[in-house]
Amino acid sequence: MSTWRARRVLWLALALSILVHVAWSLWPADLPQTPEDKVLTATLTEMPAPPPPAAQPAPPKPRPKPRRHAAPPPPAPAPAPAPEAMAANEPPAQEAAPSAEAPVAEAPAPVAIEAPLAPPPAKVLPPRLDLAYKVYLGTQGFLIGEATYRFEHKGNQYRISTVAEARGLAALFVRGRGKVESRGLITAQGLQPLEFAVERGSSDRRESAQFDWESGVVTLFDDKTAPLEPPSYDPMTLMWQAYFTPPEAAVQTLNLVTTRRIFNYTIEREGTERITWAQGEVDTERWHRRSEDGKVDAYFWVSPEMHYALVKMRVTATSRGTVEAVLDAIKVDPPAGE
């Protein structure tokens, strides 16, 4: 009996220990509190339109030098009019004034012309916007973390960065806090990256890829170089590219540049699908990409009614299984004074 009680106590202690570890791993971690990394608070229910590419100012035209002209000769005196012409130019005699009984026509009242109503201003992408995603392990909604992607723009320049850290069970796989950032230009053809950087846990473990579009060369990690051929994007600009230039062809071929190598991607549009996100249901286009060895499948759901924003993504057959990310919130800076 004493042995049975001892084993029972051991099983209870083991079960309690497992529950404590599970509760501790699922407890949400605090987000960073620096001003740059704070998640924005004002929430939008729809995706605003992208900003138009900033027009480059045309160089000023040189002013032509004024030409010096000779003074014109004085005009010749006009000839004196003949007496017959003066008589012909005399005004005719005035007619008699109308009698009091004759009706006088009234002048029409002025008609007020209504000015056309000005169209409402278009909802354009604010200077800063966060797309917050929930990250799940598998397709059954097992939450393992959160990821926030911030888009900032000023003029024709943009910056995309991650504002997140691992939460819950994801903290067991991802140690420290990594940062991913892309900087570049907004053009008529969409986003043109100039630098893509990855910081793995600390600032001394930073890698970057530098894009030189004029010479057609990209410089990767350890000063390795590779030819740069359009269309080429980094992972952050690829996530936003359809938002700026909606895809037309059902098959898209592009180059994906990371800090260490370049991948050639072929993405196909498989069809349409209505999916659910935090604000309800939305119609989407489902795009599919399979790796060259056929082991990894990636799916992307973009919504035409949300200006082709990325609503959902799924990567299968990874080293940790299937991972999904679903759009959870669209956040902007709060209005002034709040």
Side-chain angles (χ1 to χ4, degrees), residues 191-194 211-217 228-233:
L191 301 182
Q192 185 181 71
L194 298 179
F211 297 75
D212 188 343
W213 294 95
E214 292 185 0
S215 61
V217 174
L228 180 61
E229 300 178 356
S232 294
Y233 311 102

Side-chain angles (χ1 to χ4, degrees), residues 262-283:
I262 300 177
F263 300 88
N264 183 261
Y265 271 23
T266 298
I267 307 177
E268 299 183 10
R269 180 168 49 203
E270 293 185 335
T272 60
E273 185 176 344
R274 191 166 181 83
I275 64 175
T276 302
W277 71 298
Q279 298 295 331
E281 294 186 345
V282 63
D283 291 324

Side-chain angles (χ1 to χ4, degrees), residues 28-204:
D30 293 333
L31 286 173
Q33 294 301 315
T34 59
E36 182 181 358
D37 293 338
K38 283 186 178 180
V39 177
L40 306 181
T41 55
T43 303
L44 298 179
T45 58
E46 60 182 356
M47 193 69 173
Q56 299 294 334
K61 296 182 179 180
R63 295 182 178 180
K65 296 182 179 180
R67 297 180 181 179
R68 294 183 178 180
H69 299 280
E84 294 81 3
M86 295 179 60
N89 292 333
E90 290 182 359
Q94 295 183 357
E95 298 180 357
S99 60
E101 290 78 7
V104 180
E106 297 181 357
V111 179
I113 301 176
E114 295 182 0
L117 296 177
K123 297 179 180 179
V124 184
L125 187 70
R128 293 201 309 172
L129 180 140
D130 286 355
L131 294 183
Y133 292 85
K134 297 284 189 182
V135 184
Y136 302 94
L137 182 63
T139 59
Q140 303 300 318
F142 185 69
L143 182 65
I144 61 172
E146 298 177 354
T148 300
Y149 299 89
R150 173 166 298 167
F151 188 95
E152 301 174 80
H153 68 99
K154 183 178 182 181
N156 67 334
Q157 298 181 350
Y158 79 86
R159 174 177 178 259
I160 309 172
S161 58
T162 54
V163 185
E165 67 180 16
R167 287 173 173 260
L169 291 178
L172 301 178
F173 302 103
V174 181
R175 296 186 179 275
R177 179 173 178 266
K179 293 182 179 180
V180 185
E181 181 181 84
S182 174
R183 296 176 181 267
L185 303 176
I186 303 175
T187 71
Q189 291 73 38
L191 301 182
Q192 185 181 71
L194 298 179
E195 181 189 34
F196 173 68
V198 177
E199 186 178 300
R200 305 179 187 277
S202 59
S203 58
D204 58 343

